[in-house]
Amino acid sequence: MGRLILNRLAASAFSLAFVVVTIFAITAALPGDVADTLLGQSATREATAALRHAMGLDQPAWVRFGRWVWGMLHADPGRSLMTGRPVAELVGPRLYNSLLLAAATAAVSVPVSLVLGLACTMARGTLFDRVVTLLMLGTVSVPVFLIATVAVFVFAVQFHVAPALADINAVHSPLQFIRVFLMPVVALAGATTAQMSRMIRACLIDVFSAPWIEMAVLKGVAPVRIVLFHALPNAIGSVVNAIALSLSSLLGGVVVVETVFNYPGMAGLMVDSVAARDVPVVQCCALIFCVAYLSLTTLADIVAAASTMRGRAH
Amino acid sequence: MPASLQDMSLSRRAALGFGLGGAGILAAGPRAGAQTPDTPRRGGHLRLAGFAGSTADTLDPARMSAVNDFVRGKSFYDGLVALDDTMAPRPGLAERLDTDDFRTWHITLRRDVCFHDGAPLTASDVVYSLNRHKDPAIASHQRIVAMEMRDIRATGPLTVEIGLVGPNVDFPAILGMDNFAIIRDGTKDFSTANGTGPFICTGFQPGIRTTGRRNPEYWGQPAWLETIDLIAISDDMARHDALLSGDVDIIASANPRLVRLLRARRFGIMESPVGTYTDLAIRLDQSPGHSADFVMGMKYLFNREQVRDSVFLGFARIANDHPIPPEDPYFAADLPQRVYDPDRARFHLKRAGLGSGELALFCSPAALASVDIAVLLQYAAQRAAGLDLGIRRMPVDGYWSQYWMRTPMSFGNTNARPSVDMTFALSFFSRATMNESRWRNPRFDALLLQARGERDDAVRRRIYHDMQAMVRDGSGVCIPAFTTSLDAFDPKVRGLRPNRAGQLMGYGFTRWVWLDGGGVSP
Amino acid sequence: MGMSLAGAARRGAAFAARLAPGPRRALALLAFWFVIAIVGPLLAPHAPGEIVDRDVFAGFSARHWLGTDYLGRDLGSRLLWAVRYTVLICTLSTLLSCGFGIMLGIAATAMSVWVERVLGRLMDGLLSIPSLLFALLVIAAAGESVPALILTMGVIYMPGSYRTSRALALRIAQADYVMAALARGEGRIFVILREILPNMTGPLLSDIGLRFVYAVLLLSNLSFLGLGVQPPLVDLGSLVRENVLGMVYGAPAVVVPTIVLALLTVGLNFALDRQRP
């Protein structure tokens, strides 16, 4: 177990380094820099050159990259070029918001997907299975921005059941929390649940084709029992992996929902920072997304490994 | 110079162009609000959703460029000069402006004005606020304009002297620009605003929200609202949803396509006839723009009615290929209107003798409506003249620095300037850095300098008329329409009036509006 | 030309007949969309950039069957163009991502452990960057064009394809007939081409179909960031996006493209999904 974790950590460090270098290379290739953004229409060659010099942007890219890496090794993500404030100060509150939204979405979508995935497996081939499958496919087939936009117009504007904006400052009680987070969470959970429940169903069905399950069926074990006590424990590895994969996109993959509900999260910050060519902030965001993904998948692997060990012990 | 001043028997003060009523600069207090019939009420909380908000939001007056920046600026800061609804200069922090030759200006500051941190306003604050625009590291949007102020120095605790590089009758209008707002001497940290304005900044999170409360010690007419809350929602539908659902009270930049819905639900729409225009700049120093026939042909390809009706759904005024809007007192009404004329376009384009290749047309959401206008133009060119234009839609970021004015044909977007002089000087003067089409006309340049020092209004009018004609026929800038800015508001927001300087009452609506029923009567 | 086309169709039908019903149905559906993509724009009554009516967001009518869009252009004509671009871009990007993904996936099983590990970490790195943000970055750097879109989406979906094909290849590589072939002394490449690849075809085809659907969805979501085909041309997602305000008036301009988009993705998804027991 310890070796597995160490191995994963070493591998993750490699992936992280790859991501950081890739992101830096792409940002270096972007047309224009933060000096151009700051000056906007008044960006004359002379003015941008002077500003660039004042901001230290006229140094070669690799020098700036090296300085950034050095800072990161000392846990200092540097300062935002756009605002001059420490990156940590900019990212901190946004990361908290994003984690909150992701946690709320996971709290809804994981149990629902598990139940739906199990139910569809048990009832596979029936009308129920087909209807659920069609609904799930329908949910992922329409662009998220349309679902979110229609939802806001219907529920906030026409029926006034929820606010149009997810104003996190308005949350002072659990009830208000539900009111504010209801719509963004539903918009996000829709797609996440669809993806997750289908993957769970696929994993379970895979296990079902195993010979020992067929044996159990022949022996006349009740279907519910088969699913819960025979199939599920053996599918835990892949189910947890499926969940981890779906959840990993909840931090950075939610640009649309953040924008439509005006929710200040990490994805919006990264889009802003790309637009402003605020490279230290872009780097920091990418790094966080990568760490989140790698820790989720590593966690899933560990759970899977643990479950197989337990299975062997039996 | 002083002689001609006496010849025209103008007092020094009246010559400043401040007061239509003589000594207006001294007499007129803030006049807004007085004309509306219902009585303003004090108190209440107002929520605005602006259009663009990002981590680029700023409280530094020099860097302000988005609508919300200017709303923040107008709420927390004051300028030396304030521009009224028709963009005429009125007194701000400057009690008087005096000059003998329009080159050296003496500013006398108002007494007993305090910054939000309690420090009194002094001449050194003004010197610092204006001088910093010249420092390239500040990244001021008005650096070029600020360079006109050769020396800025305090001559007393409340008096400042500004020496210009040349005489400029319109100098007060320059001081009225929002970027020249006055901040405390030595201010370097803009995580909050320390100004003299009618609101005190209580919170500022770039890209998220800004809050403020009424400044009880305000030197001018105090604001009616107790607190303000500014956010930005860039998604069009989401912004309108927030207004429709009652989450905000007023939104900037209402979409013309949703006006029907808003009106049906009894929301107010304020139309501001601002002089903002989206234009196609054809560089005259490159192919294909070095052919005068090509430029003229392109000008005839703009179907201005279609731009107004299909792109702006009627919320625009047709333009005549020059930058002076019809509301401007100096507008040359007698110049014939250029119209969509496929025959003439074909004639000129044929004479330009182009090859068969595709010509790139650069546009971007950064320049308002330019992508839609490009689509109209492309179809017209194909249809009328068999000319192949390839649309290159570019992302907002990087557009101004990489494509605008750097490519043979690119769309630009220019905001209203406070005076005709600045409109011409910043975008059409031969050496102007924003001379979009690289148009060089020595006579135009001479006329500009002549008008700048000319105090006889009739003479200036004649000069400006000729300059409009010269731009219309000679420059490579095609201007199809002036936009009408739309803001939408809940009917309980009262006291809004259109302003030529910009939307939301020239961005200063928080100073004048009140909430009906929301607050308590004074 | 006609002869060779007919021949290709016959060969295609023969190939399809050998497949499982899931991929077969999906292939038939894809063929249908291909026909629309090729023929559709030829039937469009108006140019994609032509303003045909002062009225924006107009409803169904005899003159403009599917109404008009936010500028007063003919929606039906634009829709036909949109199908072409969505199908074109997504097909090419899927071929790109799956082509490389499958190649690397199989190669990884045949090569040393180290190559496989490094490849796996690189793919993990790519997977960890949110796809929409990655596309935003790359397209901002490379410029907005059809090739850039295809390339970006190809890179984004390559890791997924790599994972699937590697898993499949690993499973097959342990099968008896592969062992037997290796024992016979056959070359690695020969084994891959003759033994492993043919036995992966069925599952791989459904994976390719799924990636096509993902590509369609990613392309539509890209329109939210203002990215897509250069105007006046359009893809399905951008068509929905540019007319989204018409939603409040119930305009066909937003409803119809959404339905077409859903038909394209749900149809394929469903066809592929049904193959499982």
Side-chain angles (χ1 to χ4, degrees), chain B residues 47-292:
Chain B
R47 298 156 303 170
L48 163 82
F51 167 57
S54 71
T55 47
D57 288 353
T58 183
L59 283 171
D60 181 348
R63 288 186 181 182
M64 297 191 305
S65 64
V67 172
N68 268 22
D69 288 337
F70 289 128
V71 172
R72 271 187 286 273
K74 269 285 193 340
S75 302
F76 301 141
Y77 301 113
D78 288 303
L80 291 171
V81 170
L83 302 177
D84 71 5
D85 293 354
T86 60
M87 294 214 277
R90 305 254 163 225
L93 292 176
E95 197 171 41
R96 18 179 327 151
L97 282 177
D98 297 281
T99 184
D100 289 319
D101 55 2
F102 300 106
R103 185 193 280 266
T104 306
W105 294 76
H106 306 278
I107 300 172
T108 310
L109 296 176
R110 221 173 259 278
R111 262 164 220 292
D112 304 324
V113 175
C114 283
F115 284 97
H116 296 155
D117 67 355
L121 170 76
T122 64
S124 61
D125 301 315
V126 173
V127 173
Y128 177 76
S129 301
L130 297 181
N131 257 333
R132 65 194 290 272
H133 290 267
K134 299 182 190 172
D135 177 359
I138 296 293
S140 168
H141 284 284
Q142 303 302 343
R143 182 152 174 262
I144 298 157
V145 180
M147 292 316 246
E148 299 279 309
M149 301 184 234
R150 185 183 295 164
D151 39 60
I152 305 164
R153 58 191 184 90
T155 49
L158 288 176
T159 50
V160 177
E161 188 185 279
I162 298 177
L164 304 182
V165 291
N168 189 345
V169 179
D170 279 328
F171 182 61
I174 291 181
L175 292 179
M177 297 176 78
D178 293 326
N179 291 110
F180 289 116
I182 301 304
I183 55 175
R184 178 87 196 278
D185 186 7
T187 307
K188 289 208 167 59
D189 173 24
F190 289 95
S191 56
T192 187
N194 182 22
T196 58
F199 288 91
I200 298 170
C201 179
T202 51
F204 173 59
Q205 300 162 276
I208 305 179
R209 76 181 336 122
T210 310
T211 51
R213 66 176 164 80
R214 201 167 62 89
N215 176 5
E217 315 287 324
Y218 188 55
W219 57 268
Q221 181 199 289
W224 301 109
L225 302 165
E226 191 54 42
T227 45
I228 52 173
D229 187 350
L230 314 174
I231 58 171
I233 310 177
S234 53
D235 184 59
D236 256 1
M237 195 63 231
R239 190 166 65 257
H240 290 75
D241 282 336
L243 178 70
L244 288 162
S245 67
D247 285 45
V248 298
D249 307 305
I250 178 165
I251 58 170
S253 311
N255 190 301
R257 281 157 186 83
L258 292 174
V259 165
R260 203 170 93 205
L261 174 80
L262 290 167
R263 288 210 168 120
R265 305 212 171 184
R266 314 214 172 286
F267 284 90
I269 303 283
M270 182 167 70
E271 300 176 33
S272 307
V274 294
T276 304
Y277 59 83
T278 295
D279 61 293
L280 173 66
I282 305 171
R283 280 183 60 166
L284 303 177
D285 58 345
Q286 289 185 349
S287 172
H290 56 49
S291 152

Side-chain angles (χ1 to χ4, degrees), chain A residues 21 58 68-69 94 99 102 104 108 115 132 134 167 182 208 214 263 280 296:
Chain A
V21 173
D58 48 355
W68 181 82
V69 171
R94 301 264 196 162
L99 288 174
V108 173
V115 169
V132 171
L134 191 63
D167 182 359
L182 181 69
F208 257 73
E214 278 170 25
Y263 188 83
L296 267 173

